[in-house]
Amino acid sequence: MRLRGGTLPARLFLALCVWRLVPRRGAAGTEEVVYGEAGGSILLLCRNVSKEATEVVWFQGDPQSVPPLFSSKVAFPQDVRFSLVDNSSLRITELRLQDEGNYTCKEVLNKTDHEHRVQLLVANPPRSSLKCWAGTSSSGQMLQLFCSWPGGSPHPTLHWREEGGDLENTSWVISSTSSADTHVETLNSSCLSHRKVFKCVGSHVVKQEEPACTVEIKIPSLESEPLKTCFVGDDVTLTCRVTESTPPARLTWLQGITQPEVEIKPGGRYLITQEGNVSQLTIRNCSQGADGGCYVCKAQNPVGLREVFVCLTVKQPVNIVGIVGAVVVLSLLAILTVSGIVLYYHPLLCLRGTAFRNQDSSDVLVLVDSEEDDEGKGEEELIGSSTKHEVMALVNGNGIQGAYLNHLTEGDDGEQHGGVSPQEKRREDTPVT
């Protein structure tokens, strides 16, 4: 039995013999599935090992057709990433995708042997964050809850919950579907209410923590311009904006209050555009009889319905040029009328205006018209009468020298009234005989 010596060929031969003989004996085995994260390390336990075992051998693949991977007694050529722990468990570091597969450990006893199979799966956890959102079914009547966590291998496990309980176990769920990394729950809209919260929880085989995200459903809220005006023949745009809605609401336009069920379809004179949460209704070539009135903007999602009214007034266009021309003509007529009245009742205003415009002139014009003493008529006219002086003064447009001329005139009158007439003077000079 020199084959049990210390030479390497002898040990290899002995291990191969043991490997060939094992299947012929009765084997009691167990199985398990383990996951390892790519780039990490994992420990594969040989769970059937006993204290009486003389040797533990690990195989990668089918032990009936492949040589041993590792042995507790024989030093096989090995990858440095593989090692034995406590002479029974197999440790693999820097896991790679090619390490995935079936591993089998066997303990060799005198009479029997134990076998334990391990299925190793190399997994990649999702690198992205968990996302969830709400949507509407194709019919527009049911709520759909979406939960997605892409990038993992194998695919993560996703669950929707409501108020601490699992949503799948409630009567709300109409259908539940999963596709790759996304899980969708379709709910009956009759059980929904404003601001109700749903929670999605994700889990992965190589991640200990369980990320979560929430969705709060809301009834739509609307805002718009309540009053709009359009001139006949022009175009007008009515705007309706959704300020809040989960899931997104469907926007439609209705014409008239008495028949709100008549939905406006795009085409002809109507153009409907929607960008994001804003919808616009454009009416071309406004008609006073057909387009005037109130329009209804309706927003609806599986949670509820909201409406807002926009009233349109159609007016006849205004002739701006005619109005401006009439105002100008009336203004000119008023100016001419006032000027004519002023000139009729105050003709000297023109001369005064001329004097005020020539304030820089220094010439003084004084006109004095007086009656000269006539020897034939003077004596009769000077008795009981005063000499009349008419004076017109134009002195630099200044009233001071006009007052001075008035003062001179009053002085002359005083001398005529207070002085002695020539006739009385001759009577005084004639001697009395």
Side-chain angles (χ1 to χ4, degrees), residues 163-427:
E163 294 181 355
D166 198 353
L167 191 61
E168 282 83 354
N169 298 328
T170 63
S171 60
W172 297 9
V173 179
I174 297 177
S175 63
S176 179
T177 58
S178 295
S179 175
D181 302 320
T182 303
H183 182 67
V184 183
E185 296 282 353
T186 303
L187 308 181
N188 189 353
S189 59
S190 61
C191 303
L192 304 178
S193 60
H194 183 54
R195 293 194 176 278
K196 191 172 188 62
V197 178
F198 297 92
K199 182 179 181 180
C200 178
V201 179
S203 61
H204 196 266
V205 291
V206 293
K207 289 184 72 69
Q208 296 181 354
E209 64 275 10
E210 292 185 347
C213 58
T214 59
V215 171
E216 182 181 13
I217 59 176
K218 301 175 183 178
I219 296 177
S221 295
L222 293 173
E223 66 177 16
S224 66
E225 301 179 34
L227 300 177
K228 294 288 289 185
T229 302
C230 176
F231 291 107
V232 175
D234 291 345
D235 298 344
V236 66
T237 299
L238 311 182
T239 303
C240 181
R241 179 181 291 102
V242 179
T243 58
E244 183 181 61
S245 178
T246 306
R250 178 178 178 265
L251 289 170
T252 55
W253 287 93
L254 311 174
Q255 186 175 14
I257 301 178
T258 57
Q259 294 180 346
E261 69 278 359
V262 179
E263 180 178 345
I264 298 177
K265 299 294 184 180
R269 296 189 303 113
Y270 298 106
L271 174 64
I272 299 177
T273 59
Q274 182 170 345
E275 184 176 353
N277 60 342
V278 179
S279 177
Q280 291 183 330
L281 169 63
T282 301
I283 304 175
R284 299 187 179 97
N285 191 16
C286 285
S287 173
Q288 194 168 16
D291 300 325
C294 291
Y295 294 79
V296 180
C297 176
K298 183 174 71 173
Q300 185 175 11
N301 66 7
V303 188
L305 169 68
R306 287 287 174 85
E307 294 180 346
V308 66
F309 293 94
V310 181
C311 293
L312 176 63
T313 302
V314 182
K315 298 181 179 181
Q316 291 291 340
V318 181
N319 189 358
I320 303 299
V321 177
I323 293 177
V324 173
V327 171
V328 171
V329 171
L330 292 176
S331 300
L332 292 176
L333 290 176
I335 293 173
L336 293 176
T337 303
V338 173
S339 300
I341 294 173
V342 171
L343 292 177
Y344 180 78
Y345 288 101
H346 300 281
L348 294 180
L349 288 177
C350 293
L351 296 177
R352 292 180 182 178
T354 305
F356 287 124
R357 287 194 297 269
N358 296 326
Q359 290 182 1
D360 295 336
S361 176
S362 61
D363 295 335
V364 178
L365 176 61
V366 179
L367 298 178
V368 179
D369 186 10
S370 64
E371 296 183 356
E372 297 179 354
D373 295 337
D374 191 5
E375 294 181 356
K377 299 179 181 179
E379 294 179 355
E380 298 178 358
E381 294 176 353
L382 288 175
I383 298 173
S385 64
S386 60
T387 305
K388 297 180 181 180
H389 297 273
E390 296 178 0
V391 179
M392 179 181 292
L394 182 60
V395 183
N396 290 336
N398 198 333
I400 297 175
Q401 296 191 17
Y404 175 71
L405 293 175
N406 188 23
H407 176 70
L408 292 178
T409 306
E410 291 177 356
D412 291 341
D413 293 338
E415 289 178 359
Q416 290 180 2
H417 291 284
V420 180
S421 64
Q423 187 176 4
E424 293 177 349
K425 186 176 182 180
R426 283 195 296 268
R427 289 178 180 178

Side-chain angles (χ1 to χ4, degrees), residues 79-221:
D79 192 334
V80 294
R81 299 183 300 113
F82 293 84
S83 61
L84 282 179
V85 178
D86 296 333
N87 287 330
S88 59
S89 300
L90 179 64
R91 178 184 294 277
I92 307 175
T93 61
E94 300 178 5
L95 278 174
R96 305 168 184 172
L97 292 178
Q98 56 265 32
D99 296 331
E100 191 175 79
N102 295 321
Y103 292 80
T104 304
C105 73
K106 290 184 179 182
E107 60 174 5
V108 180
L109 299 175
N110 293 329
K111 296 182 180 180
T112 182
D113 59 289
H114 292 262
E115 183 178 285
H116 178 64
R117 295 184 179 88
V118 180
Q119 183 182 3
L120 174 62
L121 299 176
V122 179
N124 287 308
R127 304 300 180 183
S128 59
S129 58
L130 182 67
K131 297 179 181 179
C132 52
W133 66 95
T136 306
S137 63
S138 57
S139 62
Q141 302 298 324
M142 293 175 289
L143 175 69
Q144 288 184 321
L145 299 176
F146 295 84
C147 186
S148 178
W149 196 16
S153 176
H155 298 309
T157 302
L158 304 173
H159 295 283
W160 277 104
R161 297 177 181 176
E162 185 270 330
E163 294 181 355
D166 198 353
L167 191 61
E168 282 83 354
N169 298 328
T170 63
S171 60
W172 297 9
V173 179
I174 297 177
S175 63
S176 179
T177 58
S178 295
S179 175
D181 302 320
T182 303
H183 182 67
V184 183
E185 296 282 353
T186 303
L187 308 181
N188 189 353
S189 59
S190 61
C191 303
L192 304 178
S193 60
H194 183 54
R195 293 194 176 278
K196 191 172 188 62
V197 178
F198 297 92
K199 182 179 181 180
C200 178
V201 179
S203 61
H204 196 266
V205 291
V206 293
K207 289 184 72 69
Q208 296 181 354
E209 64 275 10
E210 292 185 347
C213 58
T214 59
V215 171
E216 182 181 13
I217 59 176
K218 301 175 183 178
I219 296 177
S221 295

Side-chain angles (χ1 to χ4, degrees), residues 58-77:
W58 279 93
F59 299 88
Q60 183 179 13
D62 187 2
Q64 309 295 331
S65 58
V66 297
L69 175 67
F70 222 98
S71 174
S72 60
K73 286 188 175 182
V74 181
F76 295 101

